[in-house]
Amino acid sequence: MITIFCAFCAWGILLFTICSVWRTLSKGTNYVKMLHQIPCTGCEYFTNDYRLKCTVHPKKACSLEALGCIDFEMKTSCCNATQTGRRKPY
Ligand code: SF4
């Protein structure tokens, strides 16, 4: 009788562990998918500079608050505000 109880407990713990790992992975992938929907890197106002990431909303740039930002403008290549890297000194 005790053997059956131990086997039942072992299978229960194993199933609980598998379900827990599955839920954690699912939450992680959903969170990463949500982070990839932050539009700032494709925005005209994104500066690519850690000191001032955005000239319109400096506090919420690159954060979850930027999801659905109403000031999003598609980046154009002729914009001076968007830097692709570090500028060379003159
Ligand atoms: S205006 Fe909005 S979308 Fe554009 S960089 Fe700033 S926070 Fe991000």
Side-chain angles (χ1 to χ4, degrees), residues 17-86:
T17 304
I18 291 172
C19 287
S20 178
V21 168
W22 181 259
R23 263 189 284 137
T24 303
L25 287 175
S26 178
K27 275 185 189 174
T29 52
N30 286 339
Y31 188 70
V32 169
K33 281 180 190 173
M34 194 168 59
L35 289 179
H36 278 102
Q37 291 174 349
I38 294 174
C40 295
T41 54
C43 180
E44 184 96 6
Y45 304 113
F46 184 66
T47 61
N48 202 23
D49 188 337
Y50 70 93
R51 292 167 290 189
L52 181 64
K53 295 178 200 165
C54 171
T55 52
V56 180
H57 301 289
K59 283 194 174 177
K60 75 176 189 180
C62 298
S63 69
L64 290 177
E65 293 176 50
L67 285 172
C69 179
I70 57 171
D71 294 314
F72 174 79
E73 289 286 334
M74 189 67 81
K75 186 188 287 186
T76 57
S77 59
C78 61
C79 179
N80 289 333
T82 54
Q83 303 169 2
T84 55
R86 201 163 210 199

